[in-house]
Amino acid sequence: MLVHDITHYLSSQKQKIEQVLPLYIDHLQAPSILKDAMNYSLEAGGKRIRPLLLLSTLKAFNKEEEMGLPVACAIEMIHTYSLIHDDLPSMDNDNLRRGKPTNHIIFGEANAILAGDGLLTYSFQLIADMNEELVPPSTKLKLITELAKAAGAEGMVGGQVADIEGEGQALTLPELEYIHKHKTGKLLAYSIMAGGIMANASAEKLEMLESFALHLGLAFQIRDDILDIEGSEEAIGKPVGSDATNHKNTYPSLLTMSGAKAKLEYHIDQAMTTIKEIGIESEILEYLCQLVGSRQN
Amino acid sequence: MLVHDITHYLSSQKQKIEQVLPLYIDHLQAPSILKDAMNYSLEAGGKRIRPLLLLSTLKAFNKEEEMGLPVACAIEMIHTYSLIHDDLPSMDNDNLRRGKPTNHIIFGEANAILAGDGLLTYSFQLIADMNEELVPPSTKLKLITELAKAAGAEGMVGGQVADIEGEGQALTLPELEYIHKHKTGKLLAYSIMAGGIMANASAEKLEMLESFALHLGLAFQIRDDILDIEGSEEAIGKPVGSDATNHKNTYPSLLTMSGAKAKLEYHIDQAMTTIKEIGIESEILEYLCQLVGSRQN
């Protein structure tokens, strides 16, 4: 596949996800302010990297991406709920995200919390309700179990708690990796694993997908930390150097900038080696992996 | 069954639920402060009316209650998460619940939000992971779909948003009923429906169970409103008259006290008539229904 074809493929899939997401919300019989609050953050954009990873994994296994759309949307809803709750005054207290006022600034704190709760709850319904001719019941249940693990106390929620616990403390590298593996890594990994699960991948291939995904997740986070120092304010949508201002533990602060860059390269290399070994049509996943390592926002 | 046997049955089931709940949390690999926060509110007690309704419904269909324990715990986790989030400063701003400091008072606001998120997420995992020999995949999926509807934007979360919207406004009776049907009714109804779903009840019986449950739910709320005026501070665990102080819309404020009592009686009667018509061994459900109408706390 030519790079041009890959980028065209990804932008058309992104468009599809962004068309479907608000339809799911419109469909709800709920107070309109709640639906508005849920939609506001879902529509705020972003790279949609998680749903794209899921759909690209399905494609790598020669499966119809269509079957994965509800899971892709469920993952994006969980990611979005986590951003809404993270931005709250009692957490990161952010007034802006991607250049727009955060959810609680527009809808108030109570509605923002409840919009997050609603998105989280709905995500499980989307998976349970999938077309049974495309996804059999046992597969749906595996998708639900793994999503709950990736998003809950053993995954993203646990990572967020560890992140708060670590604030203002000098962390070791393993402590920092624990936080990122859980706070962002597990849901990113799930996006890829879910594709493998739907494609009935063997246990061995699922394990390799997971290894690919965890390296990709850490690379994603390290690139984030680097961009906070070397990126352009316009591209990243927040002030450069905010991690240092907030005394955040980052890869550059623990390893120096060149150490962080070496670590980034290591994880990208590991991810690339693993994905090539699986024996699937992994071109788009490889492209996304390279993109994660070099992205400017 | 003698009343003595019924109360003995209920207290032994309550004990079982309270034994199992913390085991589910202990089992999690997560930061200990998160597990402590999740357990703190789960262990804070309460009537456990939802899990008891579920187990009693299974018993009415002559099914082993054992099979329902994970769903019973899942429902209690969702109820508990909703209390944690409701008590937050940006919602009801309550410092005490059942005589104990609320979750955010002990663990801080961020951890309280995350403990709630963790409980909500985990509840779906408990159902997806149930023993397949007792509960087949298609039943689990139905349980998950209905739980998401009862707890999410179309249910509890929607009711909570409507409640916040209605604050300080004079509501009509239909508006007040919308709030209660959603904020407390749907999850209470789910507790009963879930028993019917697991017992493979016919569509007709499920519909009658739902009607029973919705009347019970409204009765539960009306009794709450009455107790806030006529109850004893010691028994209800909060100051008498707090609804009036907070200018809350209640059944007595809309219908007068005698109107509210007539409405309570109406819903209890409707519930009792319906449950007796289903043709199941409904003695314990009838007892719980009477209890809801006459409870002192």
Side-chain angles (χ1 to χ4, degrees):
Chain A
M1 252 174 135
L2 296 170
V3 169
H4 170 265
D5 294 334
I6 293 179
T7 56
H8 179 77
Y9 169 84
L10 289 170
S11 77
S12 77
Q13 296 296 326
K14 183 168 185 268
Q15 216 176 351
K16 207 179 286 176
I17 294 156
E18 291 179 339
Q19 273 166 0
V20 175
L21 276 171
L23 297 181
Y24 277 120
I25 304 299
D26 291 348
H27 188 259
L28 287 169
Q29 289 194 296
S32 56
I33 192 171
L34 174 60
K35 291 167 70 168
D36 290 348
M38 290 165 82
N39 248 335
Y40 176 78
S41 293
L42 275 180
E43 287 182 332
K47 295 176 285 291
R48 315 291 189 191
I49 184 81
R50 292 160 194 79
L52 289 177
L53 283 167
L54 167 62
L55 300 180
S56 304
T57 305
L58 280 172
K59 190 173 172 62
F61 280 94
N62 273 312
K63 291 276 171 188
E64 279 293 331
E65 294 96 318
E66 211 65 23
M67 77 192 273
L69 264 184
V71 190
C73 290
I75 297 172
E76 194 65 10
M77 285 183 193
I78 293 214
H79 173 58
T80 302
Y81 117 75
S82 78
L83 300 182
I84 296 174
H85 282 192
D86 275 12
D87 287 339
L88 288 167
S90 59
M91 303 242 203
D92 290 351
N93 194 21
D94 279 322
N95 295 338
L96 283 177
R97 173 168 297 271
R98 297 179 192 130
K100 287 175 67 182
T102 44
N103 201 290
H104 63 271
I105 296 292
I106 303 284
F107 297 97
E109 224 177 308
N111 284 327
I113 294 170
L114 289 160
D117 294 344
L119 287 169
L120 170 56
T121 309
Y122 201 25
S123 67
F124 290 101
Q125 190 178 336
L126 292 196
I127 300 178
D129 282 352
M130 281 164 86
N131 184 340
E132 236 161 67
E133 282 168 33
L134 297 176
V135 187
S138 59
T139 304
K140 290 190 201 176
L141 288 169
K142 185 145 178 62
L143 289 170
I144 289 168
T145 299
E146 295 302 323
L147 179 58
K149 283 190 196 164
E154 295 192 325
M156 189 177 73
V157 168
Q160 175 70 0
V161 169
D163 194 14
I164 293 169
E165 287 276 277
E167 263 169 26
Q169 292 179 41
L171 299 182
T172 63
L173 187 62
E175 287 169 340
L176 186 65
E177 289 205 333
Y178 175 91
I179 291 172
H180 292 313
K181 250 187 196 161
H182 289 78
K183 190 175 167 176
T184 53
K186 293 265 180 179
L187 190 64
L188 212 74
Y190 174 80
S191 311
I192 293 161
M193 300 291 287
I197 291 168
M198 275 188 277
N200 289 313
S202 66
E204 194 199 358
K205 286 192 177 175
L206 280 179
E207 214 171 285
M208 291 171 83
L209 279 178
E210 188 173 25
S211 163
F212 165 70
L214 288 173
H215 283 297
L216 188 70
L218 286 173
F220 187 89
Q221 189 58 49
I222 299 171
R223 184 72 199 156
D224 235 34
D225 289 354
I226 292 172
L227 282 175
D228 187 76
I229 298 169
E230 293 190 348
S232 104
E233 199 151 311
E234 212 186 318
I236 64 174
K238 58 175 184 176
V240 169
S242 70
D243 287 347
T245 312
N246 299 326
H247 304 288
K248 278 206 172 181
N249 288 282
T250 67
Y251 284 85
S253 76
L254 257 80
L255 302 174
T256 75
M257 179 54 88
S258 71
K261 286 184 175 172
K263 199 87 184 163
L264 170 63
E265 203 174 319
Y266 164 79
H267 286 299
I268 294 289
D269 282 353
Q270 290 289 312
M272 289 295 281
T273 307
T274 310
I275 196 70
K276 282 178 180 163
E277 276 174 3
I278 301 184
I280 51 178
E281 290 173 25
S282 55
E283 279 172 300
I284 301 174
L285 290 172
E286 289 167 34
Y287 175 85
L288 285 169
C289 183
Q290 297 288 8
L291 194 71
V292 160
S294 60
R295 70 200 164 90
Q296 296 303 318
N297 66 18
Chain B
M1 253 176 136
L2 296 170
V3 169
H4 171 266
D5 293 335
I6 293 179
T7 56
H8 180 76
Y9 168 83
L10 289 171
S11 77
S12 77
Q13 295 297 326
K14 183 168 186 267
Q15 216 176 351
K16 208 179 285 175
I17 293 155
E18 291 179 340
Q19 273 165 1
V20 175
L21 276 171
L23 296 181
Y24 277 120
I25 305 299
D26 291 349
H27 188 259
L28 287 169
Q29 291 195 294
S32 56
I33 192 171
L34 174 60
K35 290 165 70 168
D36 290 347
M38 290 164 83
N39 249 334
Y40 175 79
S41 293
L42 275 180
E43 287 181 332
K47 296 176 284 291
R48 314 292 188 192
I49 184 82
R50 292 159 193 81
L52 288 177
L53 283 169
L54 168 63
L55 300 180
S56 304
T57 305
L58 281 172
K59 190 172 172 63
F61 280 93
N62 273 312
K63 290 277 171 187
E64 279 294 330
E65 295 95 319
E66 212 65 22
M67 76 192 273
L69 264 184
V71 189
C73 290
I75 296 171
E76 194 64 11
M77 284 183 193
I78 293 214
H79 172 59
T80 303
Y81 117 75
S82 78
L83 300 181
I84 297 174
H85 283 191
D86 275 11
D87 287 338
L88 288 167
S90 60
M91 303 241 203
D92 290 350
N93 195 20
D94 278 322
N95 295 338
L96 282 176
R97 176 170 293 273
R98 296 178 191 129
K100 287 174 67 182
T102 44
N103 200 291
H104 64 272
I105 297 293
I106 303 285
F107 297 97
E109 222 177 308
N111 284 326
I113 294 171
L114 290 160
D117 294 344
L119 287 169
L120 170 56
T121 310
Y122 200 26
S123 68
F124 290 101
Q125 189 178 337
L126 292 196
I127 299 178
D129 282 354
M130 282 165 87
N131 184 340
E132 236 160 66
E133 282 169 32
L134 297 177
V135 187
S138 59
T139 305
K140 290 190 201 175
L141 288 169
K142 185 147 178 62
L143 289 170
I144 289 168
T145 299
E146 295 302 323
L147 180 57
K149 283 188 195 164
E154 295 191 326
M156 190 177 72
V157 167
Q160 174 69 1
V161 169
D163 194 15
I164 293 170
E165 288 276 278
E167 263 169 28
Q169 293 179 41
L171 299 182
T172 63
L173 186 62
E175 288 168 339
L176 186 67
E177 289 205 334
Y178 176 91
I179 291 172
H180 292 313
K181 251 188 195 159
H182 290 77
K183 189 175 168 177
T184 54
K186 293 265 179 179
L187 190 63
L188 213 75
Y190 175 79
S191 311
I192 293 160
M193 300 291 287
I197 291 168
M198 275 189 277
N200 288 314
S202 66
E204 194 199 359
K205 285 192 178 176
L206 280 179
E207 215 170 286
M208 292 172 83
L209 278 178
E210 188 173 26
S211 163
F212 165 71
L214 288 174
H215 284 296
L216 188 70
L218 286 173
F220 188 89
Q221 188 59 47
I222 299 171
R223 185 71 200 156
D224 234 36
D225 288 354
I226 293 172
L227 282 174
D228 188 75
I229 297 169
E230 292 190 347
S232 104
E233 198 151 314
E234 212 185 319
I236 63 174
K238 57 176 184 176
V240 169
S242 69
D243 287 348
T245 314
N246 298 325
H247 304 287
K248 278 205 173 182
N249 288 283
T250 67
Y251 283 87
S253 75
L254 257 79
L255 302 174
T256 75
M257 179 55 88
S258 72
K261 285 185 176 173
K263 199 91 185 160
L264 170 63
E265 203 173 318
Y266 164 79
H267 286 298
I268 294 289
D269 282 353
Q270 290 290 312
M272 289 296 281
T273 308
T274 311
I275 195 70
K276 283 179 180 163
E277 276 174 3
I278 301 185
I280 52 178
E281 289 173 25
S282 55
E283 280 173 300
I284 300 174
L285 290 173
E286 289 167 33
Y287 174 85
L288 284 169
C289 183
Q290 297 288 8
L291 195 70
V292 160
S294 61
R295 70 200 165 88
Q296 297 303 317
N297 66 15

